[in-house]
Amino acid sequence: MSASSDSGNGHNDNSFFNMPTINFTKLFINGNFVHSISGRKFETIDPRTEEVIASVSEGDREDIDVAVEAAREAFDRGPWPRMAATERAKIMVKWAELIEENIDEAAALDTMDAGKLYYFNKFAEIPSATNALRYYAGAADKIHGKVLKMNGDFHAYTLMEPIGVVGHIIPWNAPSFAFFMKVSPSLAAGCTMVLKPAEQTPLSALFYAHLAKLAGIPDGVLNVVPGFGPTAGAAISSHMDIDAVSFTGSIEVGREVMQSAARSNLKPVSLELGGKSPLIIFDDADIDKAADLALIGIMSNKGEVCVASSRVYVQEGIYNEFEKKLVEKAKTWVVGDPFHPKSQQGPQADMKQLKKILSYIEHGNREGATLLTGGNRVGNKGYYIQPTIFSNVKEEMVIAQEEIFGPVLALMKFKRMEEAIKSGNNSKYGLAAGIMTKNIDTANTMSRSIRAGVVWINCYFVLGSDVPFGGYKMSGFGKDSGLEALHKYLQTKSVVTPIYNSPWL
Ligand code: NAD
């Protein structure tokens, strides 16, 4: 297999990997795999080959209704919210173990569906998903209220109760990670749920549903309904019997989700939206390490990462040397079949994504940025794009402002820290930022000045189950990680009681 960023075509060769058979293509409702009510199906496409992997049952509004009914019954009368939290935890841990036993299959499904690197799925993304399951399993029996000493003859205590039936809507760029960031805390809280995976990547979610049943998650607690956004997705956000919605995706759809939640039953919404994250590199940074981090920050998962460092600002003293190193490294970045162990970048998730990224590259060229490397599709089969770097980018250019969600980096120069702060914050987004410096004062000032939900100092992409994750500004609200995420799925009930026979009663 030829696998250099500058060469060849789609590089697809299944000879080094046994493809899994696709066993789960129906909706998972009330513990069973069922056809959609309409009988309609949609095709899920392998972005490496542009061929159909499988036909998947297409959920629509009426299927969401059935799934919500099952989740409502499981919440109102089923064992899940009522069982000891330690029992819920045991089942969640069992589920994590089953995923680990079947990790090759799970990893391969995301590679086929989303073009993600197989070894990354197997050794990073899915282990972080099972870590999340275990983390929230551990938290399940530590959900506490408070005892409140009231003035007068009463006291109160608070109960942290599960919010009820939750709707989860997730994107395609990290199907396993997104699935467990939503499902794990809501399960630990005692909720039941309906999850809609993205139409591009339904397969791993259905596989996880199968393993959930084997682990002992009671019927109706977890329902997985593949389908399209305007139909199945909108049915979730507008449903009168869903108590909360957790959404990850674009700003445009996040806004629609919020509107239809408001127009229906005023359900609370949490939104994990996009990003245009700055990586800011100071003169005192290790140039080689900075170039590596800048490359990984944007090219990992072919740039289809919400926290991708798509804007890189470099201080003028090291700019020229940094640029040279970065371009050299980008030219050796390996684009190829995501199953191949040497590949560093697989295909974009679908044709729409490929076209969108290429049109942004055209924009960059038209607006007068300098294309240092890349800029083209790789081959003509599969949705591969060369790692692309622009320099001479101006703040107001589209490629510096909009989320491209592809392997396209906008490189800019700065002189002083104040300028870096202003530029770093010059975005409607505020999901993440990276700072590279050896100076603790610079690091402290920058981390407090940048308006973003996560700031990485001398590292990037380092996430952990215990670390809250989510945006500032138009990158959304409501954390998807850490103990804060549990609170999206809980509500507080205050119980007030007299401490002795009050004359008022
Ligand atoms: P998208 O908003 O188009 O779709 C996301 C999900 O919403 C899909 O399941 C889709 O079917 C569904 N959907 C579409 N229209 C809908 C509607 N009208 N009502 C309800 N649901 C609807 O986003 P995408 O293109 O799949 O994903 C890319 C975006 O997601 C990027 O902006 C990326 O930054 C963002 N993202 C954010 C995070 C984060 O944690 N902040 C993580 C991953 C991806």
Side-chain angles (χ1 to χ4, degrees), residues 77-146:
R77 278 171 279 283
W80 190 253
R82 287 161 194 84
M83 70 174 62
T86 46
E87 289 305 308
R88 280 206 297 275
K90 259 192 222 162
I91 295 173
M92 290 172 70
V93 169
K94 174 78 187 154
W95 193 16
E97 286 164 359
L98 285 174
I99 293 162
E100 281 158 359
E101 282 166 27
N102 292 278
I103 200 158
D104 290 336
E105 188 167 346
L109 291 176
D110 277 354
T111 300
M112 292 168 82
D113 239 3
K116 293 174 68 69
L117 295 182
Y118 170 78
Y119 291 95
F120 178 82
N121 297 342
K122 179 166 173 174
F123 294 111
E125 182 164 328
I126 299 175
S128 77
T130 50
N131 282 347
L133 255 184
R134 288 201 174 89
Y135 173 82
Y136 289 105
D141 63 351
K142 297 165 195 72
I143 297 171
H144 301 139
K146 291 179 178 149

Side-chain angles (χ1 to χ4, degrees), residues 336-353:
D337 190 313
F339 278 108
H340 197 285
K342 291 214 167 104
S343 293
Q344 291 172 293
Q345 182 183 317
Q348 308 307 137
D350 62 10
M351 179 57 96
K352 189 172 150 218
Q353 191 60 16

Side-chain angles (χ1 to χ4, degrees), residues 169-174 178 196-200 227-235 237 247-254 256-257 260 271-275 305-307 352-353 356 403 405 429 431 469-471 475 480:
I169 303 172
I170 61 172
W172 41 263
N173 63 317
K196 191 196 88 60
E199 51 274 31
Q200 296 87 344
F228 292 92
T231 50
S237 53
F247 171 81
T248 297
S250 59
I251 285 183
E252 297 71 31
V253 177
E256 282 184 41
V257 166
S260 63
L271 303 176
E272 294 285 346
L273 306 176
V305 182
C306 52
V307 292
K352 189 172 150 218
Q353 191 60 16
K356 184 179 130 191
E403 184 184 42
F405 223 51
Y429 294 106
L431 190 57
F469 177 76
S475 290
D480 249 1

